[in-house]
Amino acid sequence: MPEPTNPQSAVGTVAVLSRLRPYVREALPRIYAAMVVSLVASAVALAIPQVLQFMVDGPLADGDAGQLWVAAGIVLALGVLEAVLIGARRALVLTPGTHVEARLRNSLYRRLQNLPVAFHDRWPSGQLLSRAVSDLNLIRRWLSFGLVLLVVNVLTIVGGAVILIALNWVLGLIFVAAAVPVILYSFSFERKYSDVARRSQDQTGDLATSVEESVHGIRVLKAFGRGRYALKRFESQAEELRGTEIEKAKAIAGIWLYLTLIPDLAFGVCLVVGVWLASTGQSSVGELVAFFATGTVLLFPIWSLGYFLAMTLDAKTATLRFFEVMDSENTIVDPEKPAEAARGRGELVFDDVHFRYQDAPASFPDLVDGVSLTVRPGETMALVGLTGSGKSTLTALTTRLYDVTGGAVRVDGVDVRDLALDDLRSRIAMAFEEATLFSRTVRENVLLGRPDATEEELREALDIAQASFVDDLPAGLDTKVGEEGLSLSGGQRQRLALARAIAARPEILVLDDPLSALDVDTEALVEAALRRVLATTTALIVAHRPSTVALADRVALLENGRISAVGTHSELLATSAHYRFVISSFDSPEVPTTEEVSR
Amino acid sequence: MSDSTVSGVAGEERDDFSRDESRQIRRRSLRLLGSLVHPLRARLALSIVVVVISTVSQVAGPSIIAYGIDSGLPALLANDWMPVGLAGLAYLLAGVLGAGLIAWFTVLSAQISQAILFDLRRRVFLHTQRLSLEFHESYTSGRIISRQTSDLDAISELLDSGINQLVQGVLYMVLTAVALFLLDVESGFILLVALVPLAILTRWFQVRSQRMFRRTRVASARLIVRFVETMTGIRAVKAFRTQKADAAEFAGLVEDNREANAKVIRLFGIYDPGLVLIGNVAVAVVLLAGGFRVIDGGMEIGVLLAAVLYTRRFFDPMEDMAMFYNSYQSATAALEKISGVLEERPSVPDPEHPVDLWTSKGAVEFEAVAFGYVAGRPILPEFDLDIPAGQTIALVGSTGAGKSTLAKLISRFYDPTAGRITLDGIDLRELHPKDLRRAIVMVTQEAYLFSGTVADNIAIGRPEASRDEIVEAAKAVGADEFIRGLPNGYETDVNKRGGRVSAGQRQLISFARAFLADPAVLILDEATASLDIPSERLVQEALQTLLADRTAVIIAHRLSTVSIADRVLVMEHGRIVEDGTPDDLIAGTGRFAQLHASWRESLV
C-alpha cells in the first residue's frame, strides 16, 4: 500500500492546488477572464437594488410615472447584461476545464506506463483507477465552477459589504461583524473536512480495488462458491466508506449551519435597527429597501461558500493523490546519452548480478545473489531451478522491468542501463509465464511488438507457435480477444504470447516457461518449429521440463539466487545431484513411477 | 422482454435509442430507484418534513421584512416598538429554525443517500458474482468494473449534493411562489407567466442533453477498460514497447470523453444564462407593474420590495439546480447502465427450490449430456459418463479436445445444453449452490491471488478455518516451506495480483486452498502446469492421500498424473474415445498408448 506523502495539515490548500499550474497554464487567461466577467456580473446584480432605492425615494415618492419607466428599463438592461455575462463566463471557462482534465489524465496514464513494474507491484490498481477517473473529474469540476465561483463569491460578498456600509454604515457594520464567526469557523472546517475528504477518497480507491479483484478473480470465487465471502469483505469496506461520507456530511452541515444562521441573525437585527433608524429620520425608506435587496443578492453567494469550500478541499485532496503518483520516483528511465550499439550479435551477459526488492527485510539474502552467466550469440540457454529460486526475476532484469541492485546485465557488451529503453526492448522480446492478452484483435495482439510486420511474418510466427487455431475463431485473425483472453484456453493464450515474442524478431528471446500449458503433442510440434528460430537467435528459456531443456545448447542451474552449475543437459545430469532432483521425474523412491504402474 | 433490443446490457454502447427503447430503459431504472428508496421511505418522509419547515422559515424572510417596514415603521413613529420588535424576533426565530433544520436535513439526507448507495453497491457486487462465467467472458472485466466504479460515482455525486440541493431548490421555488401569491396576487401572476418560457427552455435542454449524457457514460467506460487493461498487463506493455501507441489510443479515448463532456457543458452555457435572463426580465416587470400600483396607492412599498425579493429569490436556486441537473443526468445515464447489468439473468441460475445435500458421496453422472457455447456448434456431442464415488479419473487429450469444458460442466460454470449432470443422483441445477460448492471444487491453471495475506488466500478454501488448519493444508501440498521463507511468513501480503510470488508458488497456494476446502469432488484443470518437478512430485504425493476417499477429475498434460488415477478417459474432438484403467490402455495400441509413449520420451 502506498504511503501518503505527508500529513495533511502541513500543506496549505493553496500550495497544493497551485501545483496544478503547469497543467492549467494555457487555460489560466480564460479563467482569469471568467473571474473578471463574473465579477462584473455580480456588480450588475448588486447594482439592481441601488436602482430600487432610486425608485423608492424618487418616482414612487413623487408619483412620477415617466421616471418609473426609466428605472424599470435600467433594471431590465442590467438584468439582460447579467445573463449575457454569465453566458460569457461559462463560454470562457468550461471548455478549458475539460482540456485540463484531459491533459491531467493523459499525463497520469503516460506516467503510469513508464513507472517501473515495482511501482505497480506496490499500488493496488483500484487506487490508480480512482485517481484517473474520480479524482481528475473532481479537479475539472473545481476548475470549471469551484475556483471561479469561490473567488467571485468572496469578492462579491466583500463588494456587497462595502455597498451595505455605504448605504448605511450602522446596518452595514452589523452585517460585517456577523462575518467574523463565519470566517473563524471556516478554518476549523478546513482542517476537519480535509481529513475526512482524504479518507473518503482513499476508501473509494480501496473499494475499487475490491471490485477489480472480485471481477478478475471471478473463477476462483465461483469455484469455491465464495461470492458471499467476497461480498462480506466488500460490504465492510463499503460500510466504512458510508461512515466516512456521513462524517463528511456532518462537517458540511456544520458549516452550512453557520452560513445560513449568521446572515439571518444579522438581518433580523438590521431589520429592527433599520426601522428604528428610518423612524428617527437617520435613514430613508429607499435606503432600507436597497439595503435588504442588496443583502438578499448576497445571500446565495454566502450560502454557496460552504459548497465551494468543500469542493475546493476535495480538489486539494484529489490533487495530492494525483501528485502522489506523478511524484513517484522513476528509476528506470532512458539514459541521458543512450549508447549506440550496433545490432546483430545478440550476446547476453549477467555480470555478478544482484537483485532484491526495495522493501525486503535486511535480514533476507538477495533474491538474485551474484549471478554471472554468459549466453553466447546464437546460443540457447535453459534456466533451471526450483520454484522461487529467482528464474523469473532474472529474466525480468534483461529488459529492465526491474533494475539490478548490483552488478550489470549486458547486451552485446553494453550495460542495459546505457541503452535507450525502446532500443533495449526491441532487441529482447519476452514471453511471460502468464500470457497477457489485450482486448484487441488476435492480429494486434501478436504484432504488439512489431505492428508493421508483413502478413507472411505474422503467419510464420503463428505457424511456429502452432497457433493455427486462430483460423477457426469467428473472425479469424480479426477476432477480438476478450479481455485477458478469458475466452481462450490457457494453452491457446500461451501460444499467442509465444507467437508475439517470435513475431517481434528480436536478437534475444527471453521465454519464461513458455510451453507449460501445452499438451505433449503440441509441445513437440512447437519445439520442432522453435528450433529453426533458435538456431539463429540468442535465447534464454526458463524450463521446468526436460522436453523444454532439450531445446537448449546449455543449461544453467539456479539455486537460491546463484548459478550452481552450467553445462549441457547430459553433463549436468551426470554431475549435479541438485539438477537431477530438479529436472528428473525418475529418481524419487517415494512415488511409484509410471513404469511401476504400468507393470 | 428478453428479445428486446435493449434488455440487459444489450445496446449499452448506443446512444440513439428510439422512443420505445428510451421508455423501456427509463422504466427499468426508475423501478430500480424505487426499490432502492422503498425501505427508506419513513426516513425520507421525516427529511421532507424537516426540509419543508426549514424552507418555510427561510421563505418567510422577505414577508417579515415587508411587515417590518410597512407596519413597524409607522408604529415606531408613534413610539410603538411592538410590531418592529415582533418582526425582528420573528426574523431571528425563522433564521434559527431554518438554519438548524437545514443542517439536520443535510445529515439526514446524507444518511439516506449513503444507505441507497450502500444498497446499490451491494446489489451490483452480488449480482456480478452471481452472473455466469459466460457473461463475464463476453462483457469484459473493464466494463463491469466501470459499472461498479465510475457509474456508481456518478450516482453518488447526485445523491451526495444533487438531491439535497434539488429538494431544497424545488421547495424553495415552490414556497417562494406561494409566498408571492399570498403577498400579492398580481406579482404572482407575472411569475406564473415567466414559468412558460422557463418550462420551454428546460424541456429543450432535457431533450438535447439526455443523449449527450449517455454518450459521456459510454466514453468513460471505454476509457476505464483501456486503463485497467494497461495497468494489469503492464509487463507486456513495457516488454513490447506499446506505450506510445497505447498512449495515443488512450488520448483518443480521453478526447472522446472530453468532447462528450464539453458538449454537455456547452448546452449548459445556453441553459443557465437563459434562466437568469427570464428571472431578471420577470423582476423588471414585477417592479414596473408594482411601481405603478404604489403610485396609485394600491400597493405598499414594503410589499413591492418583498415581491421583488421573492421574484429574484425564486430564480436563485435555478442556476444551482441546472448544475445539479448535470449530475442528475449523468446519474440517470449511469443508473440505466447499472439497471441493465442487474437485469441480466445468470445463464446458470440458482435453483428456485434448492435440494439440500449435507454430505456428498461424490458420485457424478452425465446423462445424455451435450454442450456448445454457440448454438449449432457443439463442443461436446451427446454422451454418457458415470463416475462412481471415490474414483480418480485422468482426463487426457490434445488441446481443444473439450477436457476443460467437461470440467466446467461438472463444477457448473456452465449448464449442459441437453441432458443432465447429477451429483449423488441430484441434478446439479437443483442443488443448493452452497452445497454444490462445498461438494465440488475446481482448481484451474490460473491461480489468482487476492490482496491480503498468504493465510487469507488459503482461507478462501474455508473462511472459518483456524490458523492450524491453514498451515496443515499448506504443509500437505508442500507449500509450507516457501511460505515460511517469505518476509512475514503466512502474514506476508501477496500484493497486487501476486506480484512477488512466482507462478509455481501461486499454484501451490491455490492447491492448499482446495485442500482446505475438503470437497467430495475435486477437479484439477492443469493445476500443476507451472510447478517444477520436485513440487509436482510433492503435490502428487499429497494427492494420493487427499484423493483416497474422494472423487477426482484431473486434467494434466504431464501424464505423471496417470500414476495416481484409477481410470483414464481420452478425449478427442469433444468425444471420449478411450476409457479404461491406465494399465489396460498403456498395454493397448490406442491413442493413450501413443500419448504415453511420447510423453515418456519427453522426460529424458
Side-chain angles (χ1 to χ4, degrees):
Chain A
M1 187 46 212
E3 51 293 327
T5 41
N6 43 23
Q8 285 290 314
S9 49
V11 189
T13 305
V14 176
V16 171
L17 287 170
S18 62
R19 290 202 61 192
L20 290 171
R21 257 172 171 283
Y23 300 92
V24 185
R25 186 156 294 139
E26 277 171 52
L28 270 184
R30 298 187 71 147
I31 290 176
Y32 290 145
M35 283 182 189
V36 171
V37 166
S38 20
L39 213 54
V40 177
S42 295
V44 168
L46 283 172
I48 295 177
Q50 317 321 314
V51 181
L52 281 183
Q53 182 195 3
F54 160 75
M55 261 180 80
V56 172
D57 290 343
L60 291 188
D62 317 337
D64 183 345
Q67 289 281 328
L68 196 60
W69 279 103
V70 175
I74 294 173
V75 169
L76 182 66
L78 289 174
V80 172
L81 187 60
E82 188 192 1
V84 170
L85 288 170
I86 288 178
R89 185 200 84 213
R90 285 192 165 263
L92 274 172
V93 86
L94 292 176
T95 329
T98 65
H99 279 293
V100 171
E101 183 187 18
R103 212 171 296 143
L104 287 167
R105 192 164 281 149
N106 281 323
S107 325
L108 184 69
Y109 182 80
R110 271 187 232 117
R111 181 73 189 168
L112 285 170
Q113 279 185 326
N114 291 327
L115 279 169
V117 175
F119 171 90
H120 288 272
D121 288 345
R122 223 168 42 235
W123 281 67
S125 50
Q127 286 287 3
L128 303 179
L129 181 65
S130 73
R131 279 168 172 76
V133 181
S134 319
D135 285 351
L136 297 187
N137 188 20
L138 252 170
I139 292 176
R140 167 178 56 85
R141 286 189 304 131
W142 175 72
L143 275 174
S144 302
F145 288 104
L147 174 62
V148 173
L149 291 184
L150 184 67
V151 171
V152 168
N153 284 351
V154 167
L155 291 178
T156 304
I157 294 167
V158 171
V162 171
I163 292 177
L164 290 182
I165 292 174
L167 277 171
N168 185 300
W169 67 271
V170 180
L171 298 182
L173 282 183
I174 293 176
F175 199 80
V176 171
V180 175
V182 174
I183 292 169
L184 289 181
Y185 187 78
S186 308
F187 286 111
S188 85
F189 171 75
E190 183 188 344
R191 263 199 316 279
K192 213 184 309 171
Y193 190 84
S194 285
D195 188 42
V196 212
R198 172 77 212 202
R199 235 181 312 139
S200 144
Q201 278 160 7
D202 283 347
Q203 284 169 357
T204 305
D206 288 342
L207 207 62
T209 305
S210 279
V211 165
E212 273 196 32
E213 289 192 345
S214 77
V215 173
H216 287 138
I218 187 86
R219 284 149 184 269
V220 175
L221 294 175
K222 276 197 179 297
F224 288 90
R226 290 289 169 256
R228 289 265 162 193
Y229 169 77
L231 178 71
K232 237 180 249 157
R233 216 173 124 151
F234 176 80
E235 262 179 349
S236 74
Q237 283 176 326
E239 188 63 60
E240 229 177 310
L241 178 61
R242 161 154 76 165
T244 310
E245 287 296 327
I246 290 178
E247 219 178 299
K248 204 159 115 182
K250 283 184 180 153
I252 292 180
I255 192 152
W256 220 288
L257 182 67
Y258 274 79
L259 288 175
T260 47
L261 181 61
I262 295 195
D264 271 348
L265 291 182
F267 258 38
V269 174
C270 287
L271 181 61
V272 177
V273 175
V275 170
W276 172 71
L277 286 175
S279 73
T280 59
Q282 295 175 57
S283 165
S284 72
V285 174
E287 239 176 66
L288 223 52
V289 168
F291 181 86
F292 287 111
T294 308
T296 304
V297 172
L298 294 185
L299 276 186
F300 245 74
I302 293 175
W303 291 349
S304 66
L305 274 188
Y307 178 78
F308 291 120
L309 207 57
M311 193 180 199
T312 304
L313 294 174
D314 282 339
K316 167 198 171 186
T317 312
T319 306
L320 272 176
R321 282 164 49 91
F322 171 77
F323 279 108
E324 271 168 20
V325 171
M326 299 304 283
D327 292 346
S328 286
E329 200 191 354
N330 187 2
T331 48
I332 302 186
V333 291
D334 278 329
E336 271 176 38
K337 279 194 201 120
E340 304 267 338
R343 296 204 170 201
R345 292 174 59 233
E347 184 197 44
L348 180 63
V349 175
F350 295 88
D351 184 2
D352 191 27
V353 167
H354 286 261
F355 177 78
R356 65 185 295 121
Y357 286 113
Q358 258 181 343
D359 50 0
S363 60
F364 271 62
D366 287 354
L367 211 59
V368 174
D369 196 8
V371 164
S372 293
L373 181 68
T374 302
V375 187
R376 301 180 199 122
E379 186 182 37
T380 301
M381 175 78 79
L383 207 51
V384 172
L386 289 179
T387 272
S389 60
K391 304 184 297 290
S392 295
T393 311
L394 205 57
T395 61
L397 296 176
T398 59
T399 52
R400 295 188 74 198
L401 292 182
Y402 298 93
D403 260 347
V404 298
T405 47
V409 179
R410 291 197 198 92
V411 171
D412 291 337
V414 185
D415 191 321
V416 290
R417 285 167 295 185
D418 292 336
L419 285 169
L421 280 171
D422 265 3
D423 182 20
L424 171 68
R425 289 171 184 166
S426 66
R427 288 164 188 253
I428 304 178
M430 303 181 78
F432 302 95
E433 48 187 348
E434 221 172 324
T436 312
L437 298 183
F438 297 95
S439 58
R440 306 176 202 183
T441 64
V442 170
R443 182 192 309 274
E444 285 166 322
N445 264 296
V446 174
L447 296 184
L448 207 59
R450 211 157 59 97
D452 54 344
T454 64
E455 198 66 21
E456 289 94 78
E457 288 169 327
L458 168 66
R459 272 285 151 203
E460 198 191 338
L462 288 171
D463 286 346
I464 292 169
Q466 304 296 316
S468 55
F469 66 88
V470 296
D471 296 319
D472 300 331
L473 295 174
L477 276 167
D478 295 314
T479 309
K480 236 184 142 187
V481 178
E483 197 196 358
E484 297 193 0
L486 281 182
S487 46
L488 293 174
S489 77
Q492 290 172 327
R493 286 163 54 187
Q494 236 179 17
R495 278 178 280 167
L496 287 184
L498 181 62
R500 176 195 287 168
I502 294 167
R505 301 225 160 175
E507 291 166 36
I508 301 171
L509 265 175
V510 175
L511 309 177
D512 192 350
D513 204 10
L515 311 174
S516 63
L518 303 189
D519 62 81
V520 180
D521 284 355
T522 313
E523 185 182 342
L525 289 172
V526 174
E527 277 164 7
L530 202 53
R531 270 176 216 283
R532 275 186 285 143
V533 180
L534 294 181
T536 53
T537 312
T538 312
L540 184 65
I541 305 181
V542 172
H544 283 137
R545 319 278 155 194
S547 50
T548 319
V549 171
L551 286 171
D553 303 311
R554 287 193 301 158
V555 183
L557 179 62
L558 204 57
E559 208 177 336
N560 293 329
R562 289 178 195 193
I563 302 274
S564 61
V566 183
T568 64
H569 177 57
S570 35
E571 278 168 20
L572 292 188
L573 269 183
T575 56
S576 166
H578 184 68
Y579 185 70
R580 282 197 298 274
F581 172 67
V582 172
I583 205 75
S584 169
S585 303
F586 293 116
D587 63 353
S588 170
E590 299 92 46
V591 182
T593 65
T594 43
E595 279 168 315
E596 282 160 2
V597 168
S598 60
R599 227 177 12 227
Chain B
M1 252 322 247
S2 60
D3 55 347
S4 153
T5 43
V6 291
S7 75
V9 297
E12 195 176 71
E13 300 272 306
R14 287 166 47 204
D15 54 31
D16 55 337
F17 297 117
S18 70
R19 193 176 281 254
D20 266 3
E21 289 172 331
S22 273
R23 192 175 309 139
Q24 195 182 324
I25 291 177
R26 204 163 41 236
R27 216 175 287 149
R28 162 177 99 190
S29 38
L30 280 178
R31 251 200 319 272
L32 172 61
L33 195 64
S35 74
L36 288 166
V37 169
H38 190 72
L40 299 161
R41 56 194 186 284
R43 223 153 222 247
L44 205 62
L46 172 65
S47 77
I48 286 174
V49 170
V50 169
V51 77
V52 167
I53 299 174
S54 82
T55 312
V56 167
S57 330
Q58 280 182 308
V59 169
S63 289
I64 299 172
I65 293 176
Y67 171 79
I69 293 177
D70 292 342
S71 310
L73 188 54
L76 195 58
L77 287 172
N79 246 337
D80 177 7
W81 276 88
M82 195 53 192
V84 73
L86 217 59
L89 213 62
Y91 206 97
L92 289 183
L93 192 70
V96 170
L97 202 62
L101 289 178
I102 277 288
W104 189 21
F105 172 72
T106 306
V107 175
L108 263 180
S109 74
Q111 283 166 343
I112 292 172
S113 60
Q114 288 304 316
I116 290 177
L117 268 181
F118 181 80
D119 188 10
L120 187 58
R121 282 209 172 98
R122 191 181 170 279
R123 280 196 212 187
V124 182
F125 188 91
L126 189 63
H127 194 74
T128 307
Q129 288 297 316
R130 219 180 258 149
L131 285 171
S132 356
L133 225 47
E134 194 183 344
F135 175 84
H136 283 277
E137 284 173 359
S138 61
Y139 194 65
T140 76
S141 50
R143 269 159 84 198
I144 192 75
I145 289 168
S146 89
R147 292 290 89 84
Q148 294 187 68
T149 52
S150 82
D151 283 355
L152 263 156
D153 279 352
I155 294 172
S156 129
E157 200 179 291
L158 172 74
L159 291 173
D160 271 3
S161 46
I163 292 276
N164 200 334
Q165 301 292 311
L166 193 83
V167 172
Q168 253 174 282
V170 167
L171 258 176
Y172 192 87
M173 288 170 72
V174 170
L175 292 178
T176 303
V178 170
L180 185 58
F181 264 101
L182 290 177
L183 188 76
D184 181 54
V185 177
E186 253 179 72
S187 302
F189 274 115
I190 295 173
L191 184 65
L192 218 53
V193 172
L195 287 184
V196 176
L198 190 71
I200 294 172
L201 183 67
T202 303
R203 180 75 197 142
W204 167 85
F205 177 73
Q206 196 185 1
V207 171
R208 289 289 297 269
S209 63
Q210 201 160 29
R211 178 188 281 206
M212 308 281 186
F213 276 110
R214 286 203 183 110
R215 204 170 287 168
T216 61
R217 298 324 301 165
V218 174
S220 97
R222 286 196 188 133
L223 195 95
I224 290 176
V225 168
R226 171 39 56 89
F227 186 88
V228 168
E229 239 186 73
T230 304
M231 296 316 144
T232 42
I234 191 75
R235 284 178 166 78
V237 164
K238 284 178 181 295
F240 290 93
R241 314 171 309 285
T242 63
Q243 288 103 321
K244 269 194 204 103
D246 282 355
E249 210 177 309
F250 186 75
L253 293 173
V254 167
E255 179 58 21
D256 287 349
N257 187 39
R258 190 199 68 75
E259 216 161 288
N261 272 329
K263 278 198 181 123
V264 167
I265 288 165
R266 238 168 266 144
L267 281 180
F268 266 102
I270 302 171
Y271 182 60
D272 182 26
L275 292 176
V276 176
L277 183 66
I278 295 171
N280 284 344
V281 171
V283 167
V285 175
V286 167
L287 192 61
L288 187 65
F292 279 118
R293 284 162 59 213
V294 170
I295 292 175
D296 296 348
M299 192 185 202
E300 289 185 80
I301 289 185
V303 173
L304 175 61
L305 170 64
V308 168
L309 291 189
Y310 276 134
T311 310
R312 166 99 204 166
R313 280 176 145 200
F314 178 84
F315 289 90
D316 263 347
M318 281 305 284
E319 182 176 352
D320 293 76
M321 280 177 56
M323 217 163 104
F324 297 119
Y325 191 72
N326 186 348
S327 39
Y328 167 75
Q329 283 285 25
S330 28
T332 316
L335 201 63
E336 286 174 3
K337 301 257 183 277
I338 290 175
S339 63
V341 170
L342 289 176
E343 199 179 51
E344 284 287 325
R345 290 290 131 232
S347 59
V348 179
D350 288 347
E352 274 181 45
H353 306 289
V355 178
D356 291 332
L357 180 67
W358 290 110
T359 45
S360 166
K361 291 191 282 294
V364 178
E365 203 172 345
F366 288 68
E367 295 169 20
V369 167
F371 180 77
Y373 294 99
V374 189
R377 285 179 66 181
I379 303 287
L380 302 177
E382 193 182 306
F383 71 104
D384 291 293
L385 176 64
D386 183 10
I387 307 175
Q391 195 172 60
T392 299
I393 288 190
L395 204 53
V396 301
S398 50
T399 312
K403 305 184 301 283
S404 293
T405 307
L406 192 100
K408 283 178 189 163
L409 286 178
I410 302 181
S411 45
R412 209 175 168 226
F413 278 12
Y414 290 89
D415 275 340
T417 40
R420 58 183 217 134
I421 302 166
T422 62
L423 175 66
D424 295 349
I426 306 165
D427 194 321
L428 293 184
R429 285 170 292 203
E430 286 161 17
L431 259 181
H432 196 291
K434 233 184 183 162
D435 294 333
L436 170 73
R437 296 300 166 203
R438 193 172 51 225
I440 303 177
V441 160
M442 173 150 106
V443 181
T444 60
Q445 185 187 13
E446 201 216 357
Y448 187 83
L449 295 192
F450 296 87
S451 63
T453 66
V454 172
D456 289 344
N457 268 288
I458 297 176
I460 285 177
R462 189 150 52 87
E464 67 278 9
S466 70
R467 171 51 61 91
D468 286 347
E469 289 170 315
I470 290 172
V471 174
E472 212 46 56
K475 272 190 183 145
V477 300
D480 182 62
E481 197 188 325
F482 96 80
I483 295 174
R484 285 191 193 282
L486 293 171
N488 297 315
Y490 282 85
E491 291 305 316
T492 308
D493 204 306
V494 295
N495 279 322
K496 186 187 164 199
R497 308 206 77 194
R500 302 287 178 90
V501 185
S502 78
Q505 291 168 337
R506 243 174 303 159
Q507 284 201 334
L508 286 178
I509 292 176
S510 97
F511 251 114
R513 251 181 215 162
F515 192 92
L516 192 64
D518 192 26
V521 182
L522 182 63
I523 300 159
L524 304 176
D525 185 359
E526 278 297 326
T528 54
S530 300
L531 294 186
D532 56 48
I533 289 172
S535 305
E536 195 181 358
R537 215 150 35 204
L538 270 175
V539 168
Q540 297 274 8
E541 255 173 74
L543 280 180
Q544 273 198 315
T545 23
L546 178 68
L547 300 185
D549 52 352
R550 69 190 83 224
T551 313
V553 177
I554 305 176
I555 302 173
H557 298 313
R558 322 285 152 203
L559 297 190
S560 45
T561 318
V562 171
S563 61
I564 55 168
D566 305 319
R567 179 179 170 193
V568 174
L569 298 178
V570 182
M571 290 189 75
E572 227 161 73
H573 304 301
R575 291 178 194 282
I576 298 170
V577 292
E578 285 174 39
D579 181 351
T581 65
D583 294 4
D584 288 351
L585 291 186
I586 290 170
T589 56
R591 180 84 182 104
F592 185 70
Q594 277 171 32
L595 276 174
H596 194 259
S598 58
W599 172 71
R600 296 269 310 166
E601 266 166 49
S602 78
L603 292 182
V604 213

